Amino acid sequence: MSDFRCTYRLQLNESFGFRAARETALPYVQELGASHLYLSPSLQARKGSLHGYDVVDPTRVSDELGGEEELRALCDAARAAGLGVILDVVPNHMAVSEENRFWSDPGLRAKFFDIDPSSGRHRRFFDVDELAGVRVEDPEVFEVTHAKVLELVHDGLVDGLRIDHPDGLANPREYLERLRARGVPHVWVEKILEPGERLRSWPVAGTTGYEFANDSTALFVDPSGEEPMTEIYAELTGERRTFAEIAHEAKLEVARTTFVPEFERLRALDDDPRLEEAAAALHVYRTYVEPAGGRVEDDDRRVSEVLHEELRRIVLLEGERSPRRDEFVVRWQQATGPVMAKGVEDTAFYRYFRLTALNEVGGDPGRFSIGPDELHAAALERLARHPLQLLASQTHDTKRAGDVRARIGALAGMHERWAARVRRWRDLTGGMDDPNEEYLVWQTLVGAWPIVPQRLELYLEKALREGKRTTNWIEPNERHEARAKAFVRSLYDNRPFLDDFEPFVQDVMLAGEHASLGALLLRLTSPGLPDIYQGDAFWSLNLVDPDNRRGVDWRRARRAAEQSVPRRDTLKFHLIRRVLRLRAEHPEAFSGSYEPLELGPDRVGFVRGGRIRVVVPLRPGDWIEVAGDLLPQYPQELSLLR
C-alpha cells in the first residue's frame, strides 16, 4: 500500500471505464504525484448509469465499466505504479429496477429493503422513488451486499472505502465498526458537517472534506464586503431576510410536501402533529441515538434541545420505552437528513444569492467569511483527531468548482465596481422577469466565463427548478423557463453588454486565480489528505452536476506534464506536482506538527513539522517575495527551513 499523500478522484462511466482509466488516466495521475486513485462506485449499476450510485447488484463489478477482470487489472497497474486504490461504496440504497434481482424477487424484497408493511412503500434515498433504502443493519444483508467489496479489500486491491451517505443508515456507528472488524483499514464517510458540528467518534479516517472546501472559500472572501454586498443584494432583489430564515422556510416546505410519505410513516408510530416543524428546526442532518443499546451522547442531547419537550424526551429515550417508540426514533433520525439536504442544499441554496460562492454543500451562506485564526483552529483539531481526513475543493456533488467559487468570492473585495456593473447590465439587457434569478445569472456568468450557452441554459433550468419559486421539477413552468433561457442566449449577441462585461470579468478572473492558487497550496500542505477531482489540476469552471461530471481531456494533461516552465493555464498542475514531490521527499514534515504564524488578518501561514514554511496572501495583488522560495512564479511562499 502506498503512503497516503494525495487522492485523485476518477468519475467512471460507460465511456470511461477501468481500461480507459488504466491506459489514459493512470500515467497522468502518477506523473502528477498522487498516491491513490479514488474511484467512483464500481459495482453493477442500472444500465446506462452515468454515475454508479443506482446499484442493482452489489455482488459483482460493473460490466459497463469493464467487469471484474478489468478492475483488477487497473488495481494491479496502480500498485505497480506505486499508487493505491480507494473505492466509493453505496450501502444505503439500491435501484428500484427489474435488473435488480433483490428487488424483483418477492422472496428477497422484504429481507433486503426497508418497506412499510402497512402501505407497501419503501424508504427512499432523499426524494428519489427509484432508489430504495437497504436494510444493511441486518447482518445477513450486510454480508451479501458487501461480499464483493470485502473480497477486493482482502485481496489487497483496495486500500480504503469512501462510504456514501452514512446518515441514511439505521445505525452508522455499528455499520462502520462492522467494516473495521472485517478488516477494512481506512474508511472515509460522506458526512455533511454543518458549521460548528464535529464528526462523531467513529472508526473512520475522516470525512470527504466539504468542511475544508467551505473554509478555504470563506477565507479569501474580504470581510469588509459583507455589509455592502448584503445591501446590494437587498436593493436589486428586494430580499432582506437572512439565510437562516429562508432555510427554515424551505425545510418546512419540503417536509410538508416532498416528504409526506416519510412523515405519514412516522405518525403511524407516534401521532405528533408537530413533526415537520421539529425536523425543520434541527440545524444538523440528524442525531445518532441508538435505542437498541440505549446510547445517547452529549451531542445528541445538545442538538435535541431545539425540539419540543415531548418529542425531545422520546428521541432521547427518556420516559416510557416501547418497540414502537424505539422504531420511531430510528426512522425519525433517517428522515431529518433528507429534510436538511433537500430543504437547504437543493432549495434554499437556489433561493438566496447574496454571494453564491458560499452556497456549497456543508456550508452556511449566512457566514460571510472567516479569518486565519478560524482556519488554524480547524487545522489543529483535524491534525489531532483525523490527520487523514480528505481535503476537497470540488466533488461530483459540489454546486460549483472551487475556481468558480474563488471568482465569485472575489466580488466581495470589489463590491462597488460589482454594484455598478450589475446595474448597468440590467440597463443594457432589459433584465429578467425575476430580479433574484437575474442576480444568479450575473454571478454564474462571472464565475464560469467563458461558458457556452447550452451549459448555462441547462444550469439555469436546474437552478430554477430546484429553487421551486417560479418553476419546479414536478410541474415545470415552461413559459417562464423559456423566457429565462432566451434572456441567457441573447447575452451572447448583445455587443454593448459584452463590451462592458468582458473587461470586468478579466479583473475578476485574475483575483479568482489568486484565491484559487492560495486555497490550493493550503489544501496541499494543511493537515489532512488533499483530494483532487478529475480535471481540477487545471482551471476548472464546472457547475453543479451533471456539468461537473463531464469528461477530461487526458491528452492535454499529458502535454502539461511535458512543460518545463508552467504557463498560466497550467499553473495549478505544476503547483500540485511540485508540492506533492515535496510531500514525498519530506513525509515526516507533513505528518508532523502544525505551528500557526501570526501574520495579521490578510495573510495566513504556518510551519509543518518544523521544516516546511507556508505563507499565503489572502487579498489580490499581495505577493510574497522570499529568496530561495520553492514557488518563484506564484504569489505564495513555500520554503524549506534549514
Side-chain angles (χ1 to χ4, degrees):
M1 179 184 72
S2 173
D3 291 334
F4 286 97
R5 185 167 60 252
C6 177
T7 60
Y8 191 97
R9 167 84 174 196
L10 294 179
Q11 198 65 34
L12 304 171
N13 54 53
E14 191 170 2
S15 61
F16 182 69
F18 303 129
R19 175 176 290 184
R22 172 165 52 89
E23 295 176 348
T24 61
L26 181 58
Y28 161 74
V29 175
Q30 181 186 21
E31 173 66 27
L32 189 64
S35 61
H36 285 75
L37 287 179
Y38 170 14
L39 304 180
S40 62
S42 300
L43 301 180
Q44 186 61 51
R46 180 187 284 135
K47 189 172 180 60
S49 174
L50 298 177
H51 46 72
Y53 289 94
D54 44 0
V55 175
V56 295
D57 188 353
T59 69
R60 61 191 179 94
V61 175
S62 169
D63 291 331
E64 285 71 25
L65 299 183
E68 184 167 340
E69 183 177 347
E70 285 293 348
L71 173 59
R72 287 178 174 267
L74 172 60
C75 293
D76 288 340
R79 190 163 302 278
L83 281 80
V85 173
I86 297 170
L87 188 63
D88 197 340
V89 175
V90 189
N92 175 67
H93 54 268
M94 284 193 268
V96 173
S97 169
E98 287 302 309
E99 301 173 66
N100 186 341
R101 62 186 173 91
F102 300 100
W103 180 261
S104 59
D105 186 339
L108 297 176
R109 187 169 171 179
K111 173 70 174 176
F112 278 80
F113 296 95
D114 187 357
I115 298 175
D116 183 356
S118 62
S119 67
R121 291 194 296 249
H122 58 268
R123 178 172 61 85
R124 303 178 292 176
F125 169 70
F126 293 168
D127 61 341
V128 184
D129 291 328
E130 293 76 24
L131 296 176
V134 176
R135 298 182 60 251
V136 76
E137 65 271 16
D138 184 313
E140 293 181 38
V141 173
F142 173 89
E143 292 299 330
V144 172
T145 57
H146 286 68
K148 180 54 64 178
V149 167
L150 293 174
E151 177 188 331
L152 296 172
V153 172
H154 295 157
D155 287 350
L157 298 173
V158 172
D159 299 319
L161 304 178
R162 180 262 195 196
I163 301 301
D164 183 68
H165 188 48
D167 278 347
L169 305 181
N171 190 324
R173 178 194 59 81
E174 184 179 75
Y175 169 80
L176 295 166
E177 289 183 349
R178 188 172 288 148
L179 287 180
R180 173 63 59 87
R182 294 302 305 275
V184 181
H186 299 93
V187 172
W188 291 267
V189 285
E190 190 219 13
K191 166 60 187 161
I192 311 303
L193 295 172
E194 297 303 311
E197 184 184 8
R198 297 180 69 188
L199 183 63
R200 298 300 173 106
S201 298
W202 293 336
V204 298
T207 71
T208 52
Y210 289 114
E211 310 83 53
F212 182 83
N214 282 288
D215 284 352
S216 60
T217 295
L219 181 69
F220 290 89
V221 174
D222 192 332
S224 67
E226 180 169 10
E227 183 177 348
M229 289 295 283
T230 303
E231 285 303 311
I232 293 165
Y233 182 47
E235 172 200 325
L236 295 174
T237 69
E239 182 58 84
R240 293 188 177 275
R241 293 176 296 170
T242 66
F243 176 73
E245 292 174 302
I246 292 173
H248 183 270
E249 175 187 75
K251 286 194 288 183
L252 190 57
E253 179 182 314
V254 299
R256 289 173 170 168
T257 55
T258 303
F259 296 111
V260 166
E262 284 72 15
F263 283 93
E264 286 180 349
R265 189 170 186 182
L266 285 170
R267 284 206 173 85
L269 297 168
D270 189 279
D271 192 14
D272 186 330
R274 297 169 290 178
L275 292 180
E276 291 87 350
E277 291 85 350
L282 279 180
H283 59 274
V284 296
Y285 265 58
R286 60 168 285 175
T287 54
Y288 298 91
V289 174
E290 300 177 23
R295 292 172 61 109
V296 182
E297 298 184 16
D298 288 341
D299 286 346
D300 296 315
R301 291 189 175 91
R302 186 174 67 252
V303 168
S304 298
E305 289 176 356
V306 300
L307 307 180
H308 61 266
E309 181 61 20
E310 183 180 351
L311 181 58
R312 189 192 69 81
R313 286 174 57 81
I314 292 173
V315 170
L316 296 182
L317 309 180
E318 297 173 356
E320 181 182 351
R321 296 278 301 279
S322 70
R324 285 172 61 87
R325 284 203 162 183
D326 286 355
E327 182 183 354
F328 172 86
V329 172
V330 172
R331 297 197 180 285
W332 162 258
Q333 295 180 131
Q334 289 177 301
T336 58
V339 170
M340 172 68 84
K342 299 304 295 184
V344 176
E345 295 166 14
D346 291 344
T347 303
F349 278 7
Y350 292 97
R351 293 180 176 179
Y352 181 81
F353 304 133
R354 177 178 66 167
L355 189 67
T356 58
L358 308 176
N359 296 23
E360 193 49 83
V361 178
D364 176 10
R367 182 189 74 167
F368 196 76
S369 63
I370 67 169
D373 289 347
E374 293 163 278
L375 188 83
H376 292 319
L380 288 167
E381 181 175 1
R382 195 163 58 243
L383 181 62
R385 299 187 69 226
H386 298 104
L388 287 182
Q389 178 158 309
L390 294 182
L391 306 179
S393 173
Q394 175 182 187
T395 76
H396 60 285
D397 277 335
T398 45
K399 305 301 184 185
R400 295 165 184 83
D403 295 339
V404 176
R405 295 197 306 273
R407 285 192 191 178
I408 297 173
L411 297 175
M414 52 180 74
H415 52 82
E416 292 183 355
R417 293 180 61 198
W418 167 246
R421 295 273 70 74
V422 293
R423 293 187 188 104
R424 179 161 173 75
W425 297 339
R426 183 170 183 82
D427 291 339
L428 291 172
T429 64
M432 294 175 65
D433 295 348
D434 187 293
N436 200 47
E437 294 171 354
E438 181 186 328
Y439 201 58
L440 171 64
V441 168
W442 301 138
Q443 291 184 64
T444 304
L445 275 173
V446 166
W449 192 263
I451 180 173
V452 297
Q454 183 182 23
R455 282 181 58 210
L456 186 57
E457 289 177 36
L458 289 174
Y459 169 76
L460 188 59
E461 177 182 276
K462 177 169 183 172
L464 300 192
R465 291 183 180 183
E466 295 281 39
K468 308 173 191 64
R469 293 174 59 252
T470 55
T471 184
N472 58 63
W473 291 106
I474 298 174
E475 296 179 335
N477 184 338
E478 295 180 355
R479 293 182 63 185
H480 180 80
E481 292 178 3
R483 289 195 299 271
K485 292 177 182 178
F487 174 80
V488 164
R489 284 194 301 274
S490 73
L491 298 177
Y492 290 80
D493 297 319
N494 188 327
R495 195 67 255 172
F497 162 73
L498 292 175
D499 287 343
D500 194 76
F501 172 78
E502 291 183 319
F504 178 76
V505 170
Q506 289 300 314
D507 291 343
V508 177
M509 189 183 305
L510 291 174
E513 289 176 1
H514 184 281
S516 289
L517 291 171
L520 175 58
L521 182 58
L522 293 175
R523 180 161 38 122
L524 294 169
T525 56
S526 296
L529 182 61
D531 173 44
I532 300 171
Y533 186 71
Q534 64 175 27
D536 199 24
F538 299 92
W539 300 120
S540 177
L541 302 180
N542 290 334
L543 300 172
V544 74
D545 69 280
D547 193 69
N548 59 17
R549 295 177 181 176
R550 293 173 298 149
V552 173
D553 183 353
W554 298 105
R555 290 175 298 180
R556 177 192 180 200
R558 292 298 300 161
R559 290 194 299 270
E562 297 168 358
Q563 294 176 6
S564 57
V565 178
R567 299 195 304 259
R568 182 183 174 194
D569 65 328
T570 60
L571 282 174
K572 288 176 65 179
F573 172 87
H574 288 278
L575 176 60
I576 292 169
R577 185 167 64 170
R578 180 67 192 95
V579 179
L580 292 184
R581 286 180 178 176
L582 192 67
R583 287 185 69 119
E585 294 164 3
H586 302 278
E588 71 292 339
F590 289 97
S591 62
S593 63
Y594 178 94
E595 304 167 48
L597 299 174
E598 295 295 333
L599 302 173
D602 294 333
R603 289 184 175 184
V604 63
F606 49 83
V607 175
R608 296 302 314 274
R611 193 83 172 95
I612 307 294
R613 175 184 164 99
V614 178
V615 178
V616 174
L618 303 181
R619 306 294 167 243
D622 184 3
W623 280 64
I624 309 296
E625 298 291 343
V626 179
D629 187 3
L630 297 171
L631 300 173
Q633 296 182 340
Y634 297 85
Q636 313 96 348
E637 172 193 348
L638 178 66
S639 301
L640 189 62
L641 302 180
R642 302 296 178 187

